[in-house]
Every structure is written in C-alpha cells, then in structure tokens.
Amino acid sequence: MTPTDNVQSRLNFYFAAVTCLSGMTLFGNPELKIWPWVCMIFAIFGFVFVDWLRWFALPPVMAYLALGAIAVYTLSRFATIGEFSPEPQMIAVAELLVLVQVVLMMQEKNRRIYEQLAVFSLLLLIVAAIFNDAVIYGLLLVPLSVIFIGALSLLHVYITSEDAFSNHHDADSLIQVQANASRQSFVQAARTLPRLGLMIIGPAVVAVAAVFFYALPRTNQDARKGLGGAAQTGFDSTVRLGQIGNMLSNPQIAARIKLRNRFSGKNYDSIASLYLRGTVLESYDAVNQAGTWATVDFGRAISPQQLPPPPLRRSANDRLFGDDVIAEISLSPMRSDALFSLPPYFSQASGPDIVHVRDRWMIERRKSPIGFRSSQITYRFATLAFRGERQNRFLPRASENELSMLGQLTAQVEAAKDNDSDSSSVPTASSSNETMQSAALAQALLLDRQVATVDYQRACLQYDVDLVPSAERLANQIVANMSDNRKNPYIVASAMESYLSAGSDFSYTLDLSMQELPGMDPIEQFLAIDRKGSCQYFASALVLMLRSQGIPARMVVGFSTDEYNNMGGYYIARQLHAHAWVEALIDAENVPASEQFFSRQQPPQYWMRLDPTPGGGGTDLFAGGSVANVLDLAQDIWTNYVVDADANDRRRELAGGDTNMSGSYQLFYEWVKLKISRVRAGELGAGSLALANRDSFSWPTAVLSGLAALGCIVAYRLAMRGWILRWSKRKDDGSKLAIPSVGFFAETVALLERLGVKRRAGQTAKEYTEGAARSLHDASAASLVVPLETLTNAFYVQRFAEPSQHGDAAALDNRNRSVEQALERLRSRAGE
C-alpha cells in the first residue's frame, strides 16, 4: 500500500462518518421518515463495499445519469408543493441532498468526490437546522464538527500527498518525494495534522456551529402536520370518528404537565390518571357515513373572557375545597387555538393571551391574525381539580365569579322592582332615570345569560333517534331494569357508563377496518353490529344514550395519561394518550355531597365526567423507563433553552403566575430562561442575528457582538498558540527519533547528543548540524563548522543522490577520508 493509499483509506472512513452523522441530524423531523436511514445505510454500504472491499463502483456516466434523475424528481416535488409552504420545500431539498450523497458514496473516491461530499454534508446540516427542534441535533453537532474538521485536515494531506507521490512531474506540483523513508515521515505527519487542526480550529468551529444553530430562526414541521387537517397537538373544533384512533400509534410527546402545591412549592402527584381537557364538542353529524363531532357556535353568548379569579376558602382545612395546585403545561407546536386545561382552573397572574370559554371550561389563546404557531407554548394556571391527590369527577357548570355576577344582576333587578312598588319613597327624576337604566341593563344581561344557558343545554340534548335508534333502545333497557327510586340522572348516567365499560357485550380495539354498511350511521353500526371500537365510539354512544333519556351530555377530547418523568418531575402526554370521554349535566341535588365543590355561591349544576371506554383506552401503551426519562428531560431542556429561547418566549409564558418556586433549581431555571430570552431579544446587546422580532435589525448590536466574538477568538488563539508551542517543545524533548540509515551520520547524531545537542522532530540534517555548530561554538576549542558541513554534504549525497551522481572511485575515496577526518574531530570534541 502506497502512502497515498494509506491516507485515502482513513479519509474514506472520515467522510463515511460525516455522511452518516449528517443524515442522522434529520431524525428530528417525522416528515422525512426513511430518508435519514437511507443516508446512513448507503454511507456504510459505500464505505464497506466501494471503498474498503472495492467490489464495485458506480461508473461516472451512470452517476451523471442518476444525478439527472434526482434533479427531475426534485423538480417534480417542487411542482406539487404550494407557493406558501416553505417547510415542505425544505424537506424536498433535504431529500435532494440525501440522494446526491448516496450517488457520491457509490463512486470511486477522488479529491473531487471528497470535496462534493463535504459541501453536501454541510448543506444537509444547514437544512436540518432550519426545521429541527430535536435534542438529537444538538447531541450530533459536536461529534459531527469534530469529525468534519479531521476530514478536511486529512483531505488537505491527501491532496498534497497525491501531488508529492505522483509519478507524473507536473509543473504545478510544489514537491516531489522519492525516498521511501521520507514518504513514511510524510504519512506520519498526515496522521498528526488532523489532531493538530482539531486543537487549533476545532473549538472555534464548534462555537461557530453552535452560534449559527442558536441564532438561526427555525420553524417546526410538527406545527403543520395535521390530523386530517387539524394540528398535531391541539384539536380543532371538528373531530372525526377514528381520528383519535389514528393518533394512538404515535409516541410523539404532545404536552408536559408539571403540578406543584401552591403553598409549599413541592411537586404534586396524582394517584390516578390525568384527564387533560382539550376541546368540548356538542354536535354530532354523520356526513357521508363519516361520523363527525363539532363545537356549536353560540356567538357572543359563550364568548371567551379572562380566567376567573380563585374562590375564597371558607377555612384552611376545608376538605371540600380541594387541593391548591399550580399547573404548568408546555405544549408542542400547534396551530389550534384550543389549549389544554385541568378545570376548574383560575387565574394565576395570567397574561392577556389566554382566555376562558365559559360553560365549556376551555382555555384558548386569544385570537390572533397569525393563524399558525410554530413554537412551543408554556402557560400556567391555578386549579382545584384535585382532591385527596385524585382528579375530581364533578365540575361546577359555572365558576364562583360568574355565579356571583349573576347573583348581583338578579339582586339589582329585584331591587329595582322593590323600588317601583315602594310608594313611600319619592326619588328625584335624575336618580330615577339612572336606576331604571341600570336595572334595564342588568335585566338585559341576565336575560342574555339565561338564554345562552338554555340554548347550550338544548344543544347538549340534540339526538336524532332515526339515525341511531340503538342508543335509545339500549338506554331504555338499562333504565327499565332500575328501580323507580334510583332513576335520578346521576345513577342512570353511572349505570350506562358501566354497561359500556364493564359489560361483556362491547370490547375495545384500534382496528377500525370493519366494513361500513351503506346507509347506516357508524355509531348505529357500532352499537347494533360491531360492538367494538376505539374511545370515540364508546364516548359517542354514551352521549347519545344519555340524550335519549333527557340528560344533557357532550363529548370531551384531550389526553388521559399517567406517565410520569421522575427526573423532570412532570407528567407526559403523548399522541398515543389521546382520549375521548363524556360529561353529563347533573343537578346539584343529585350529586353526592362529598363530591360537591365548595363555593360561597353553590353551583346549581355539575358536569359529571364519564369514561365508558373499557380499561380507559390505550393510556398504558407506552412504557418509559430511566433511559427514556433522561432523553425526554434532555429534549425538554433543549426545546426550552435552545429552540424556543427567543424574544417570543416571554409572550409564550402566557401566565407568568406565582414566582414562589421551590428550591434553588427552579429559581436558577427561571433566571437563566429570562436572561436568554432578553439576550436573544437584543436587550443585552446580543441576539439581533436571530431576527426573532423580525421587525428591525440592530446594527450596533450586530457590530458589538461581532467585535466581542472576534476578541474572544483572538484571545483564544494567542493562548492556544502558546500552549501548543510549549506542548510541542515538551513532546520534542522527550521523543525518540528514528536512527539515520547512513552509518557515519548516525554516529554524528550520537556524538552530538553526547555533547548535549538533541535533534528535534521535523529538523532536516542541515538545520540540525548548523544549529549544533552554533550551540557548540567555543573560542578555546577547534570549530566544528567545517567538519559538520562535510558530514552533512556527504550524507545528502549518499542518501538522496542517484548512484550515477556518486562519482568515480577516486572521488568516493576522497569523500570517505574527509568523512573519517570530520568524525575524528567530532570524536575528539566528545572526549572519545
């Protein structure tokens, strides 16, 4: 194997590793699916079978044809992508880069192929950074940078060695090496150069790569990925039957829920699964035999408003009041306005960007002209949803604040009536007009709210018996088997829930491949024929069964999870935790006293949570573990501190809430997060490059940041240069160099070392002897300049000159005598 082959074999491994790692950076985007695997498999395949075993290589003509086909494929992909869809276009670019790298890896390598692999790997890294928010990108960035530096250093050695060891003497070639020993020294230098380059420019390259990734504004493809057109994490106002069933095979994390005690600040743990409320749906319709649930639009009657204030405790130890808990929810990117909650919730110094939808107990984002949100959102609220470390089953229909407001309106109207009937008082004209106007306004508001309440209750009773007759038939059978004194809505609803969830007639399944019967509603087919399905089918059936008995009911979709990350101290809701359940409206007189909610204004009605799905659905389909917890915690930190730590972070922290955090870790967490958001917003003289605001560009900030970075690099280079020189000197002093193959010069080196002059690595023979002559100069002793010059010239003639240039026998004898005389003078100086 020639020295060039030796360098190239290592270079092949370096670039295979670079190609493999650059492909792995695409794992953070689920839209790319198999493309990271394609890049990795062909990188390994090309290294083993093309570069190492040399079984075959793609001919250049075939490679050009393949690249042409790739160009046509990419153009066709762009032709099918909408004008306003930049991320799918970047995905097409990523596919193009992967395919080009595949073709390059299948070819016999030369300097052109290496350079192209380097360029396309760098481009793939940039494309991956644009829409990648996964922690794997950050983890791969450092090893990829290190290997890339080594690959570029070795590529320079390869190009130089190819010129030096070539049999063709090109005019452009600066060096030509013929001696085998010199070639081996060159190869040894080739092995050292990547390490030296890594020490000198490695930290700078890694720093630049990290700053580039941090400053680059990114979007997230998950925010565009829909569930039949809906956002991936949130639920739109319309949900199709089977939609949740399709989510239950996706382990992607949708939300992280951190609960802590409001007063102690300690983590709060629930002993049962969390029901994370998403969207409330009232209207059912079977369109083209595809059952669909939707939210009924009541206009202003149920308009969003600020989160209600927390109720006042009657006493500190009131058991009925519930546990005071602060909930912090971090949602993956979504475009749905409906957020997730744990009602009954209350304001915790919440910002103006989240609102409460009354009667549905839903939290939403305030309407924005931007219909697409690409970043993670984190918000807080207080909640009394738990009692005794278990989530409450009953939810007051109205908050205490709303009940108090209605009570005040009622009192105002009644007072006006009393004043009209009281003839003893004689009010002035002005006060009478004001009282009448105030009473009229109060009566209008009260009437508007009463109408909205009745309309909403009527919407939760809508049921087409001709469409789903089995719901009424089964409900009638259940009620008929009950005694008359037990036929209150609470007991009836519980009995219907048990019939579906615990009976032997129905079973849970995610297999929705049952053949649709023409003209039959899917819920009717579920109840009458199939009797198996996902949570949506069970919840839909129960809603219609309750409505058939005059009990208002609605469907709720969200997540049901008991997965807990012990290291991070939060619950995890994955896509596979998506769930649907039912809420039935029950009068307070039928609700057990132990389940009622404490309030100064007692709620007249409660929403009762019912889960008719056998086994609670698929909440246990994912098992984490310590490794999964560590990776998820790393992803959470990565998302918060790197991906979403920009100027919008404070707006995403919608409910700043109580700052009474527990422990120094939480305080440090909040402090660092605030500092990062300020820096990236440009408030501390940095972060303008991120363009997070996108409204302006701060040139002073950019210039100052550039100068600061340049100063750090110069200071680092100066310090590193001094360290490298000291390291090299120590290494040179302790290194053992090869003994020269020419006998008399080997003795020369040995004698000079005895005199205290050691040869350093990389020194030529002439540099060594000239330096030795200067070091050993002594006015009282004979000069060694001429003897050492004689020995050096003789060494070069014997070592590098062609045999025909050695001269005749007389010249050879003269040179040998001169060498012997020079050695004798050197021996005499050394004391021999």
Side-chain angles (χ1 to χ4, degrees):
M1 177 181 291
T2 65
T4 306
D5 293 336
N6 193 322
V7 174
Q8 187 174 19
S9 63
R10 302 185 65 203
L11 193 59
N12 291 336
F13 175 78
Y14 270 76
F15 273 99
V18 167
T19 304
C20 190
L21 289 174
S22 63
M24 291 174 65
T25 59
L26 300 175
F27 274 123
N29 193 301
E31 288 293 323
L32 290 168
K33 298 178 181 177
I34 66 169
W35 290 103
W37 293 104
V38 170
C39 190
M40 293 168 56
I41 290 172
F42 277 92
I44 297 172
F45 184 89
F47 171 72
V48 174
F49 295 102
V50 178
D51 303 330
W52 183 21
L53 300 178
R54 298 182 182 274
W55 283 5
F56 73 95
L58 194 65
V61 175
M62 295 295 296
Y64 286 124
L65 292 176
L67 292 175
I70 292 171
V72 172
Y73 166 76
T74 305
L75 290 175
S76 66
R77 290 272 287 121
F78 272 93
T80 59
I81 294 174
E83 179 182 359
F84 302 102
S85 302
E87 287 184 23
Q89 289 178 349
M90 294 310 299
I91 289 176
V93 172
E95 295 174 0
L96 167 67
L97 296 175
V98 169
L99 291 173
V100 170
Q101 285 186 312
V102 167
V103 174
L104 294 175
M105 287 301 302
M106 292 297 103
Q107 297 183 72
E108 185 178 355
K109 305 301 186 293
N110 53 42
R111 69 171 66 179
R112 178 181 60 84
I113 298 296
Y114 292 130
E115 292 168 353
Q116 291 174 349
L117 279 172
V119 171
F120 283 104
S121 295
L122 181 60
L123 291 176
L124 191 61
L125 186 66
I126 295 173
V127 170
I130 292 176
F131 49 71
N132 199 326
D133 69 340
V135 69
I136 189 173
Y137 187 96
L139 295 176
L140 291 174
L141 190 62
V142 174
L144 182 57
S145 301
V146 170
I147 297 177
F148 197 79
I149 295 168
L152 293 182
S153 301
L154 204 57
L155 177 60
H156 179 72
V157 173
Y158 171 77
I159 294 174
T160 306
S161 62
E162 191 178 41
D163 291 338
F165 302 148
S166 174
N167 294 325
H168 304 284
H169 297 270
D170 298 330
D172 295 335
S173 182
L174 298 178
I175 55 175
Q176 289 289 331
V177 181
Q178 301 296 332
N180 186 61
S182 297
R183 292 189 176 197
Q184 293 300 329
S185 298
F186 198 92
V187 172
Q188 184 63 33
R191 295 175 179 175
T192 305
L193 184 59
R195 294 195 295 269
L196 188 61
L198 178 61
M199 289 188 297
I200 296 176
I201 66 174
V205 171
V206 173
V208 170
V211 171
F212 169 78
F213 174 72
Y214 181 74
L216 183 68
R218 283 177 304 282
T219 56
N220 187 292
Q221 185 65 14
D222 286 345
R224 293 186 183 268
K225 182 176 180 181
L227 303 167
Q232 182 183 12
T233 297
F235 294 92
D236 281 345
S237 58
T238 300
V239 177
R240 302 184 322 275
L241 288 179
Q243 180 173 317
I244 291 181
N246 296 331
M247 297 172 62
L248 298 183
S249 60
N250 185 358
Q252 290 283 334
I253 293 178
R256 295 176 176 86
I257 309 100
K258 180 173 289 187
L259 305 176
R260 59 184 177 87
N261 187 283
R262 184 181 179 186
F263 301 110
S264 68
K266 296 181 179 179
N267 288 343
Y268 183 90
D269 298 332
S270 174
I271 61 177
S273 297
L274 297 184
Y275 283 85
L276 193 63
R277 189 188 199 84
T279 300
V280 176
L281 310 165
E282 299 93 2
S283 174
Y284 174 73
D285 188 17
V287 181
N288 298 325
Q289 288 191 260
T292 302
W293 282 92
T295 295
V296 177
D297 185 9
F298 289 95
R300 292 183 56 195
I302 195 170
S303 59
Q305 54 188 234
Q306 291 296 319
L307 270 64
L312 298 176
R313 278 182 175 271
R314 185 168 55 189
S315 65
N317 299 319
D318 197 322
R319 185 178 62 86
L320 296 181
F321 189 83
D323 302 333
D324 282 284
V325 176
I326 299 296
E328 178 180 284
I329 300 179
S330 297
L331 296 180
S332 296
M334 56 184 292
R335 64 181 176 189
S336 172
D337 285 325
L339 303 178
F340 294 89
S341 63
L342 295 165
Y345 47 74
F346 306 96
S347 63
Q348 184 64 24
S350 59
D353 295 321
I354 60 173
V355 292
H356 157 65
V357 182
R358 62 187 182 188
D359 228 342
R360 290 194 177 108
W361 279 103
M362 287 171 49
I363 288 180
E364 288 186 351
R365 282 188 274 207
R366 189 177 296 277
K367 299 299 182 182
S368 169
I370 304 175
F372 163 66
R373 281 89 168 182
S374 62
S375 300
Q376 174 176 293
I377 177 173
T378 300
Y379 54 99
R380 297 191 189 103
F381 53 83
T383 178
L384 295 175
F386 300 91
R387 182 182 298 159
E389 300 182 340
R390 185 185 297 272
Q391 192 169 353
N392 296 328
R393 194 180 184 188
F394 288 88
L395 172 66
R397 180 173 183 179
S399 67
E400 180 178 335
N401 183 60
E402 185 177 357
L403 292 174
S404 177
M405 181 194 68
L406 293 175
Q408 292 174 7
L409 292 175
T410 303
Q412 192 172 356
V413 172
E414 294 297 330
K417 291 180 180 180
D418 293 340
N419 289 334
D420 290 340
S421 62
D422 188 359
S423 58
S424 62
S425 61
V426 183
T428 62
S430 60
S431 63
S432 177
N433 289 335
E434 291 178 359
T435 302
M436 291 176 60
Q437 292 176 359
S438 177
L441 179 60
Q443 188 169 8
L445 292 174
L446 186 61
L447 180 61
D448 181 68
R449 182 62 185 131
Q450 290 173 345
V451 170
T453 300
V454 173
D455 288 344
Y456 188 80
Q457 189 165 324
R458 186 181 295 116
C460 293
L461 283 170
Q462 292 296 318
Y463 166 58
D464 189 347
V465 66
D466 295 328
L467 191 66
V468 191
S470 293
E472 184 181 45
R473 177 177 56 83
L474 293 174
N476 288 338
Q477 291 177 4
I478 295 172
V479 174
N481 293 328
M482 301 174 62
S483 58
D484 291 339
N485 61 347
R486 292 179 56 84
K487 290 183 180 178
N488 69 67
Y490 166 72
I491 297 177
V492 169
S494 300
M496 291 183 181
E497 177 190 37
S498 299
Y499 174 77
L500 292 173
S501 64
S504 59
D505 295 338
F506 295 88
S507 61
Y508 177 84
T509 181
L510 295 179
D511 182 6
L512 303 179
S513 61
M514 290 80 74
Q515 182 178 1
E516 296 180 355
L517 299 179
M520 180 174 286
D521 181 88
I523 300 302
E524 175 64 20
Q525 181 176 337
F526 165 74
L527 288 172
I529 300 175
D530 298 331
R531 299 213 161 193
K532 58 182 179 180
S534 63
C535 58
Q536 281 180 280
Y537 287 85
F538 284 92
S540 300
L542 180 57
V543 170
L544 299 183
M545 290 170 66
L546 290 168
R547 291 181 178 183
S548 73
Q549 302 303 308
I551 301 175
R554 61 190 183 184
M555 180 187 287
V556 182
V557 292
F559 296 100
S560 177
T561 178
D562 58 1
E563 182 180 345
Y564 188 76
N565 188 311
N566 292 299
M567 300 190 67
Y570 52 78
Y571 288 88
I572 297 173
R574 302 178 185 272
Q575 297 292 331
L576 54 79
H577 292 141
H579 194 46
W581 60 92
V582 177
E583 286 183 342
L585 189 61
I586 308 295
D587 291 338
E589 61 187 21
N590 295 319
V591 176
S594 60
E595 300 280 2
Q596 293 189 11
F597 182 78
F598 165 73
S599 174
R600 290 176 297 173
Q601 298 283 338
Q602 280 298 321
Q605 292 176 311
Y606 286 85
W607 288 106
M608 174 185 179
R609 186 180 71 246
L610 302 163
D611 193 346
T613 306
T619 58
D620 296 327
L621 293 178
F622 185 87
S626 57
V627 176
N629 286 343
V630 171
L631 292 178
D632 176 67
L633 181 60
Q635 177 65 62
D636 185 40
I637 295 174
W638 175 262
T639 303
N640 279 288
Y641 286 115
V642 179
V643 177
D644 282 332
D646 57 18
N648 292 324
D649 189 36
R650 285 168 296 165
R651 291 194 293 272
R652 285 196 302 275
E653 290 285 348
L654 300 177
D658 188 4
T659 58
N660 182 24
M661 307 295 287
S662 61
S664 59
Y665 170 76
Q666 284 88 348
L667 293 175
F668 178 75
Y669 176 92
E670 295 297 332
W671 180 82
V672 172
K673 198 169 185 179
L674 177 62
K675 292 299 182 183
I676 291 177
S677 65
R678 287 180 176 176
V679 168
R680 300 227 33 215
E683 297 178 9
L684 300 181
S688 296
L689 295 178
L691 294 179
N693 192 27
R694 300 180 183 272
D695 294 330
S696 61
F697 184 87
S698 173
W699 284 108
T701 298
V703 172
L704 290 176
S705 300
L707 292 176
L710 181 62
C712 293
I713 293 175
V714 170
Y716 169 79
R717 289 296 301 272
L718 292 175
M720 179 60 71
R721 181 180 179 184
W723 180 84
I724 290 176
L725 290 175
R726 291 192 299 272
W727 176 80
S728 300
K729 184 176 181 180
R730 289 197 305 268
K731 184 173 181 180
D732 290 342
D733 292 342
S735 301
K736 291 185 178 181
L737 302 179
I739 299 176
S741 57
V742 178
F744 68 82
F745 199 75
E747 185 180 357
T748 302
V749 172
L751 291 172
L752 290 175
E753 288 185 349
R754 184 177 298 178
L755 291 170
V757 181
K758 294 184 178 180
R759 186 183 180 186
R760 297 195 305 271
Q763 267 190 323
T764 64
K766 186 175 182 180
E767 292 172 343
Y768 176 55
T769 54
E770 288 179 350
R774 289 192 298 270
S775 299
L776 298 175
H777 175 71
D778 188 351
S780 61
S783 174
L784 295 178
V785 173
V786 175
L788 290 177
E789 184 177 354
T790 300
L791 293 169
T792 302
N793 292 335
F795 168 74
Y796 278 121
V797 170
Q798 185 169 337
R799 184 67 179 80
F800 297 106
E802 297 292 338
S804 58
Q805 299 175 347
H806 287 180
D808 53 16
L812 184 59
D813 289 340
N814 290 333
R815 188 162 56 251
N816 290 338
R817 282 195 298 272
S818 299
V819 167
E820 186 59 32
Q821 292 173 0
L823 280 175
E824 189 61 33
R825 293 182 60 181
L826 190 58
R827 293 187 191 110
S828 175
R829 181 68 178 270
E832 291 187 358

